[in-house]
Amino acid sequence: MSQIGYGVLLLCLCVSVYGAVASFIGARRGSRRVLRSGTNALRVMVDLVSAAVAILLYLLLTRDFGVAYVYQYTSTHLPFIYTVSAFWAGEAGSWLLWLWFLTILAAIAVRQSERLGKIGPYILATLAANQAFFTLVLILIANPFETMASTPMEGVGMLPLLENPGMVIHPPILFLGYAGYSIPLAFALAALMSGEVSSDWVKAVRPWNLLAWISLGLGIIIGAWWSYVELGWGGYWAWDPVENASLIPWLIGTAFVHSAMMEERRGMHRVWNLVLAILAFVLCLFATLVTRGGIIVSDLHGFARSLQPIAYLLMSFMALILGVGSFLIWRRRHRLTSERQMENPISREGSFLLTNVLLCGMALIVVVGTIYPTFAQTVRGIQISLDASFFDRATGPLALALICLMGICPVIAWRRLTGDGLRLLLPAALGGILSAGLLLVLGVREALPLVSGAISAFVVLSLLSILVRDVRSRRRSTGESYVRATLTMLSRARRRYGAYVVHLGIVFIAIGVTGSRTYKSEQLIALNPDESTTIEGYELRYRDYSVQTLNPEPETYQSKVRFSTTLDVYVDDSRVATLTPQKNYHYALENPWVTEVAIRSTLKEDLYVILASLEDDGLAAFQIVINPLITWIWIGGGVLLLGTAIAAWPSGRRRAEER
Amino acid sequence: MLSDLADCMGDSVSTSRPSTNGLMTGGRLKFFIGGAIIFVVLAWLIVTNIGGASAQYLSVEELLAQGPSDQMVRVSGLVSGETIDWDPQRLVLRFEMADESGSIPVMYEGVRPDMFRDGAQVVVEGKHSSDGVFEANNLLLKCPSKYVEE
């Protein structure tokens, strides 16, 4: 079975290379016959890669330990859902998943490209070439179908940290985002190759852009959630190179979403859009280089210590894309002039430009901070570490400025600030200042929550006043009721209101980040059974403890001794929750201890309890963390998804208008 | 990267209306100044923050040579197993940290990390106090990759 899988991969390589060559020749010669053949190659790729995916899934589910990948990541104790997620627990499976998404998205894009005239064939060629690269990686470096010399009786098993619902969905969503950015890349390069560099490609790529953006964004948020509930350190974002690596393309992608709008609406930023589309994809590759290539020196995660073979492949591919992209942009530079120029910096154009610059600036800061320790080591020969405060301080002001812009930008008109805009802006700004005053009266003295509170209130008020204005004017012209007018507004101008909802989601996330960063409080305490402690109005009574052995035979990563404690949580003498923080000793693992935290979540704050240690007589050390407002980060993630769905939802009327 | 941004945006803007020469240079200048300001702000954000947040690693030998001081430093080394003294009631961890060149006693108040054991590679952050003990505020363990067991 595994040989068949490998054979399928080899076939994939032939088909994708053929598809790229045929599409390219078809595009140059304008030959429909050759082109159809190239299109078919891309369609066949979906079937082939799906077959490879099915084979690997079959091998995992039948626990064929003769296959190295299955042996490494599964065991007989592993529950069904994690046996499926073992698919992306390792490098080879992740590449295969990524390739699978690439082929599926490409097959959908093929149908769209048929309507795109001269650009279409080049899109196919680029997509097929991209698939060829991924197939090459699978064949040369990360073959998931590699077999063992003999078939072991039992697999090693999944790392317990990955046994978490977050890890079931985080990698696929992230890879969908990474794969998604291959489409804007293909559209951009195709526009350049075909010479049809009008704004059509930007319009056509919009749904793909949004898909990639929201997938990557949700992937990052789910990753943060996983880190929060599973890693047991009380936080969710450590500015670790792995986290940064996925954030960088997302920031660039966010810049692209905004500057693409400038090109669609105003015919501006045309070179810059091409640059961003290319950069977003290249940075997705860079993210893989960071996590898999052994290029980044990290304090805590000794990734591969030397440059891996995959690093050379990835760097060549990145260099190729950047080289081809720059050359093509240079060659087409005369056709890439803006239709308009900015008349006034205080206009919607101006605020979009500033948004773009701030996002790219943040990305630059994260890049600098991520590679700085490596740079210092290679160039200056000293070992340096950079802690998270650098990122907080350097990106924080830019992030606050960006959020502020979310309130300003929708209000001011294209070309210049009008009196109408000013009438909406001033009350909202006043509301923001008043909210800061209110917070001050309530006893808030720290700068971050005051500024962040004022800005958040300003944005929400500004968005609300736009909604009220629109509904009022609709009511005046149609005489509909408020509810009806609101609903029609929302469904008519989905793009606009979807964007506002997304911005609201960002405000929620900002509130969550501000609260948990500023007011996080911690207590470290050793308790004997029946003793209790208090923190921030909670009383925690340590009731009981237990020790039990799970999955002892055969010995795999899933074999463990579970140390469990039970605490009753009281607020005002009434019991509100029972928490069971645990520690598992996985004796087959090199690092055997895995902490399972217990969390009580409310909209106001999380009570987060870590069992730090448990002695034989029941003496336990608990680390108790209060994380105010943290739930709003996860809620914000949901709102982002909702807003993007509203904005991307295809509407028959709008489509007709666009044509 | 940002100067590129300013450049290419400046380019695209200025070439759009070749007939209005005065506007063209004015627009270009505005963008140039705007780009320069933003670049300076970014550079300022990076430079002013990178110093305070970065710490150089010392070896145990360098730390001993330097002697006690009030400066916060980071030292990495290995845990000597037989010296681990963990007080679970008071939550105090004492141990000797060693490398090829010597060893130094370390005191840390806090949780004993899960992976803390003989031979573990640790990074401590804190001060070398006058009684010769390294008082750590932070204790980190270097662990193998999160994802791949080596």
Side-chain angles (χ1 to χ4, degrees):
Chain A
M1 202 67 186
S2 54
Q3 279 87 349
I4 301 176
Y6 191 65
V8 170
L9 288 183
L10 290 175
L11 206 56
C12 282
L13 186 64
C14 304
V15 172
S16 54
V17 169
Y18 172 77
V21 173
S23 307
F24 193 73
I25 293 174
R28 300 298 283 189
R29 294 204 190 134
S31 155
R32 284 194 157 276
R33 204 171 53 83
V34 182
L35 203 58
R36 202 170 304 127
S37 170
T39 312
N40 286 336
L42 275 171
R43 295 214 171 105
V44 170
M45 275 302 280
V46 183
D47 302 332
L48 285 175
V49 178
S50 301
V53 168
I55 291 172
L56 183 58
L57 207 55
Y58 173 80
L59 293 171
L60 285 166
L61 290 176
T62 55
R63 295 195 169 76
D64 188 338
F65 296 129
V67 178
Y69 195 80
V70 179
Y71 166 76
Q72 189 62 51
Y73 297 106
T74 65
S75 68
T76 36
H77 297 311
L78 203 62
F80 174 78
I81 185 74
Y82 295 119
T83 313
V84 174
S85 77
F87 193 106
W88 45 85
E91 183 175 358
S94 305
W95 281 101
L96 183 57
L97 185 72
W98 192 346
L99 175 64
W100 193 42
F101 286 149
L102 280 178
T103 58
I104 294 171
L105 297 181
I108 303 170
V110 162
R111 286 166 51 189
Q112 192 190 6
S113 73
E114 282 159 2
R115 296 194 303 266
L116 282 172
K118 268 173 70 186
I119 304 183
Y122 289 102
I123 294 177
L124 304 186
T126 317
L127 289 173
N130 195 17
Q131 293 176 11
F133 170 76
F134 278 80
T135 316
L136 196 66
V137 169
L138 281 165
I139 291 172
L140 291 182
I141 289 163
N143 173 20
F145 300 109
E146 204 173 296
T147 49
M148 316 263 290
S150 62
T151 303
M153 288 302 292
E154 181 55 57
V156 173
M158 181 178 277
L159 278 183
L161 287 177
L162 304 183
E163 273 189 87
N164 175 287
M167 271 296 138
V168 176
I169 51 174
H170 161 74
I173 293 179
L174 200 66
F175 284 123
L176 184 61
Y178 287 168
Y181 276 115
S182 69
I183 313 265
L185 171 87
F187 276 60
L189 289 182
L192 285 166
M193 281 191 269
S194 67
E196 290 204 352
V197 286
S198 68
S199 302
D200 290 349
W201 77 273
V202 175
K203 286 193 184 110
V205 89
R206 181 175 176 268
W208 296 105
N209 205 356
L210 289 179
L211 173 77
W213 180 82
I214 191 65
S215 305
L216 195 52
L218 284 183
I220 292 169
I221 292 174
I222 294 167
W225 179 80
W226 168 78
S227 171
Y228 181 64
V229 301
E230 185 66 38
L231 295 187
W233 58 291
Y236 49 89
W237 190 263
W239 294 105
D240 182 272
V242 181
E243 296 166 345
N244 295 350
S246 56
L247 183 66
I248 297 163
W250 186 79
L251 289 170
I252 295 297
T254 312
F256 183 38
V257 168
H258 291 91
S259 74
M261 215 139 89
M262 288 289 287
E263 179 159 353
E264 267 187 73
R265 295 288 163 85
R266 312 292 292 167
M268 297 161 86
H269 298 191
R270 302 186 47 200
V271 173
W272 191 234
N273 278 320
L274 292 161
V275 171
L276 288 178
I278 295 168
L279 217 51
F281 182 76
V282 169
L283 287 169
C284 291
L285 295 176
F286 176 73
T288 316
L289 185 64
V290 168
T291 45
R292 306 284 188 201
I295 198 166
I296 293 292
V297 179
S298 161
D299 268 1
L300 290 181
H301 304 113
F303 302 109
R305 273 163 199 85
S306 56
L307 224 51
Q308 300 292 298
I310 185 79
Y312 297 104
L313 257 183
L314 275 170
M315 285 194 282
S316 322
F317 192 48
M318 287 160 68
L320 178 73
I321 295 174
L322 287 176
V324 169
S326 325
F327 169 73
L328 286 171
I329 292 177
W330 177 77
R331 227 184 83 191
R332 304 285 183 204
R333 66 192 180 282
H334 300 300
R335 293 198 200 176
L336 289 168
T337 53
S338 282
E339 288 163 22
R340 290 188 184 80
Q341 73 173 43
M342 197 173 298
E343 294 164 31
N344 189 337
I346 305 177
S347 60
R348 196 172 287 178
E349 288 91 333
S351 60
F352 263 85
L353 175 61
L354 191 57
T355 303
N356 229 276
V357 171
L358 289 174
L359 283 163
C360 294
M362 275 173 84
L364 181 69
I365 289 173
V366 180
V367 169
V368 168
T370 307
I371 60 176
Y372 180 67
T374 311
F375 177 81
Q377 190 163 11
T378 16
V379 177
R380 293 164 59 194
I382 48 171
Q383 252 201 318
I384 275 185
S385 75
L386 196 61
D387 65 49
S389 70
F390 164 74
F391 296 97
D392 283 347
R393 285 182 197 180
T395 60
L398 300 186
L400 287 173
L402 265 173
I403 296 171
C404 203
L405 272 176
M406 297 188 327
I408 299 172
C409 184
V411 177
I412 50 181
W414 296 109
R415 295 174 58 210
R416 68 200 160 80
L417 178 62
T418 58
D420 182 42
L422 212 57
R423 268 193 294 281
L424 291 176
L425 211 51
L426 286 179
L430 200 65
I433 294 167
L434 283 178
S435 326
L438 187 68
L439 287 174
L440 206 61
V441 172
L442 289 173
V444 175
R445 290 291 177 272
E446 296 81 357
L448 177 65
L450 287 176
V451 174
S452 165
I455 290 176
S456 302
F458 163 66
V459 174
V460 172
L461 287 173
S462 160
L463 293 179
L464 270 181
S465 54
I466 293 171
L467 181 68
V468 170
R469 178 196 65 186
D470 291 354
V471 169
R472 272 208 189 137
S473 76
R474 182 168 179 86
R475 230 175 82 85
R476 223 173 293 136
S477 58
T478 62
E480 290 168 348
S481 71
Y482 276 110
V483 178
R484 203 189 149 80
T486 311
L487 288 177
T488 14
M489 290 298 314
L490 289 177
S491 68
R492 287 280 167 80
R494 283 191 201 131
R495 258 185 96 151
R496 202 148 67 85
Y497 285 103
Y500 296 164
V501 173
V502 167
H503 288 173
L504 197 64
I506 299 283
V507 169
F508 286 166
I509 293 176
I511 289 172
V513 170
T514 307
S516 56
R517 288 268 147 145
T518 321
Y519 295 115
K520 182 175 177 175
S521 56
E522 267 189 75
Q523 190 186 63
L524 184 65
I525 192 158
L527 294 175
N528 283 304
D530 294 326
E531 285 182 340
S532 65
T533 180
T534 53
I535 177 171
E536 304 277 330
Y538 292 98
E539 189 192 353
L540 285 89
R541 282 184 208 155
Y542 173 25
R543 204 175 64 200
D544 204 4
Y545 66 100
S546 69
V547 180
Q548 109 191 79
T549 306
L550 299 166
N551 305 329
E553 289 293 328
E555 190 180 304
T556 65
Y557 282 180
Q558 271 61 51
S559 311
K560 60 193 167 194
V561 182
R562 168 166 290 172
F563 298 84
S564 183
T565 53
T566 314
L567 295 110
D568 287 330
V569 182
Y570 294 85
V571 175
D572 297 331
D573 287 326
S574 63
R575 198 173 76 187
V576 292
T578 299
L579 297 178
T580 52
Q582 301 172 334
K583 270 174 111 67
N584 292 319
Y585 184 79
H586 295 259
Y587 43 85
L589 272 173
E590 195 197 343
N591 298 309
W593 287 103
V594 174
T595 304
E596 295 290 340
V597 300
I599 305 172
R600 177 181 184 261
S601 271
T602 60
L603 289 181
K604 185 171 158 256
E605 63 200 5
D606 275 17
L607 172 66
Y608 184 103
V609 184
I610 308 159
L611 173 62
S613 68
L614 181 65
E615 306 298 318
D616 292 336
D617 57 357
L619 174 66
F622 295 103
Q623 194 179 354
I624 306 163
V625 185
I626 304 283
N627 270 320
L629 300 175
I630 199 167
T631 308
W632 290 93
I633 298 177
W634 324 131
I635 294 175
V639 175
L640 286 189
L641 179 63
L642 177 73
T644 312
I646 294 174
W649 204 263
S651 93
R653 186 174 297 131
R654 209 190 64 225
R655 283 229 166 139
E657 274 168 25
E658 271 174 7
R659 286 194 197 119
Chain B
M1 196 168 107
L2 268 159
S3 56
D4 288 351
L5 162 64
D7 273 358
C8 72
M9 283 181 172
D11 264 349
S12 51
V13 168
S14 58
T15 42
S16 62
R17 285 186 189 172
S19 55
T20 50
N21 248 321
L23 237 163
M24 186 175 97
T25 43
R28 194 154 221 199
L29 189 70
K30 245 190 262 172
F31 274 101
F32 186 75
I33 294 171
I37 291 173
I38 287 157
F39 193 79
V40 167
V41 169
L42 276 180
W44 179 77
L45 278 172
I46 291 176
V47 172
T48 52
N49 287 306
I50 214 161
S54 60
Q56 195 180 339
Y57 284 104
L58 298 179
S59 67
V60 175
E61 186 183 22
E62 283 166 323
L63 182 74
L64 291 172
Q66 214 175 55
S69 90
D70 268 349
Q71 223 192 339
M72 294 285 285
V73 286
R74 279 190 174 207
V75 191
S76 62
L78 301 175
V79 177
S80 317
E82 61 276 21
T83 62
I84 298 175
D85 171 20
W86 162 238
D87 180 346
Q89 186 70 57
R90 288 174 42 235
L91 302 171
V92 176
L93 181 64
R94 290 169 183 278
F95 61 96
E96 299 252 325
M97 189 173 75
D99 66 5
E100 310 86 62
S101 54
S103 78
I104 182 170
V106 179
M107 191 194 82
Y108 171 69
E109 284 185 47
V111 178
R112 175 189 169 143
D114 292 335
M115 288 170 283
F116 188 86
R117 59 184 165 184
D118 184 22
Q121 203 184 0
V122 291
V123 178
V124 289
E125 203 175 30
K127 276 186 283 201
H128 187 188
S129 71
S130 49
D131 55 4
V133 176
F134 190 89
E135 288 171 5
N137 302 336
N138 231 329
L139 173 66
L140 307 170
L141 270 102
K142 290 205 172 186
C143 55
S145 169
K146 238 189 310 204
Y147 305 105
V148 185
E149 190 69 11
E150 285 165 52

